[in-house]
Amino acid sequence: MGELLTSLLTADGAITLLTAAGLIVLAGFTSLITASMGIGGGVLLLAVMATTVPVAALIPLHGLVQLGSNGNRAVMTRRHIDWKMVIYFSLGALPGALLASLVVVQLPLVVIQYAVAAFILFLVWGSKPKAREMTPLGRMLAGAVTTLAAMFVGATGPLVAAFVHRNGYSKMQITATFASCMTFQNILKAMVFSAIGFQFFAWLGLIAAMILSGFIGTWAGLKILSKIPAERFLRVFRWIVTLLALKLIWEATLVYW
């Protein structure tokens, strides 16, 4: 029984049991961050996973775990969802996913590694769009562009959130609508990677455990929504994620040495 559980959680030895345990705990913690602060958990989870799981599995695994986290949050906050935003976003996301399915498999693994690190640094330090009301076309373009990017760099949550924030929502509306948009995007991501041949089956044990942990974290995060001193935490968060991204760049560079 113990050997079977170990095999399920480690994808038949692709990662260590200690690493699997750490990722399961982290899934709950990052879900708590996103639920309580509106954003940020997906980037942190991506940064850590990028240093612990095989590069080829990074984006699809992260997407499926985030599907569970965002889906849980969307269901728990469903009364606050702006369905017009979700519908227009989803209509744009479909062609973005279709285009990604034609080109994503062509990227070398080291390119994905550098892209993930660079994108994390941009999300942490780059400028964000200014808040203003979005048109239906703008919402569709947001869905298309962020979904295409999601297939290559993983954590597009901060970009999606930047578009969602433009609509003048309350905090609960932002949380619910953002979670719903990301849920649909994560579904498309799983479909694209399945279509191009990624084998999710070996990772299902770890994914299920991380989603369960994420559910607990989401529930706890929604309970303490708006009670965390966000400014102080975000300063620490920014530097932790930056160091993880620089570590990833270093490891990718070693391939050429």
Side-chain angles (χ1 to χ4, degrees):
M1 183 65 179
E3 291 183 1
L4 176 60
L5 181 61
T6 298
S7 177
L8 288 173
L9 294 178
T10 63
D12 292 327
I15 59 175
T16 67
L17 187 59
L18 181 61
T19 296
L23 290 176
I24 292 168
V25 173
L26 183 67
F29 177 64
T30 54
S31 292
L32 185 149
I33 291 173
T34 302
S36 60
M37 304 181 68
I39 198 170
V43 181
L44 178 58
L45 182 62
L46 176 69
V48 175
M49 289 182 69
T51 66
T52 55
V53 304
V55 175
L58 173 60
I59 305 300
L61 290 184
H62 179 267
L64 209 56
V65 172
Q66 288 300 101
L67 170 58
S69 178
N70 288 309
N72 287 331
R73 199 163 68 258
V75 170
M76 292 180 190
T77 59
R78 58 189 178 279
R79 290 180 298 173
H80 303 278
I81 297 171
D82 177 3
W83 287 106
K84 288 184 178 180
M85 174 68 188
V86 175
I87 290 171
Y88 283 122
F89 181 91
S90 301
L91 288 174
L94 288 169
L98 178 61
L99 178 60
S101 68
L102 301 176
V103 297
V104 67
V105 73
Q106 299 176 15
L107 289 180
L109 296 183
V110 71
V111 173
I112 295 176
Q113 213 166 7
Y114 277 122
V116 169
F119 195 69
I120 289 171
L121 292 175
F122 169 75
L123 293 179
V124 172
W125 298 102
S127 60
K128 305 296 187 296
K130 295 182 179 179
R132 64 180 182 181
E133 184 71 20
M134 292 184 69
T135 64
L137 179 60
R139 294 176 178 185
M140 292 175 66
L141 287 175
V145 172
T146 59
T147 300
L148 177 62
M151 306 301 170
F152 301 98
V153 295
T156 54
L159 291 184
V160 175
F163 290 113
V164 172
H165 288 181
R166 288 185 167 194
N167 294 282
Y169 298 140
S170 67
K171 187 165 187 178
M172 287 304 299
Q173 286 177 312
I174 289 173
T175 298
T177 305
F178 168 66
S180 300
C181 290
M182 290 302 298
T183 296
F184 188 75
Q185 188 176 92
N186 293 143
I187 290 173
L188 292 178
K189 185 186 297 186
M191 293 173 64
V192 167
F193 279 99
S194 294
I196 64 175
F198 181 79
Q199 299 297 317
F200 283 103
F201 183 78
W203 297 91
L204 287 182
L206 177 63
I207 290 170
M210 291 179 72
I211 289 176
L212 177 60
S213 176
F215 173 82
I216 297 171
T218 295
W219 177 84
L222 290 176
K223 291 293 183 182
I224 59 176
L225 185 63
S226 79
K227 295 182 180 180
I228 293 180
E231 291 184 6
R232 180 182 302 174
F233 177 83
L234 287 175
R235 284 197 297 269
V236 176
F237 165 78
R238 175 179 292 183
W239 283 108
I240 290 174
V241 174
T242 297
L243 290 173
L244 288 168
L246 293 176
K247 182 176 184 292
L248 181 60
I249 291 174
W250 171 254
E251 291 176 349
T253 304
L254 290 178
V255 174
Y256 294 106
W257 289 10

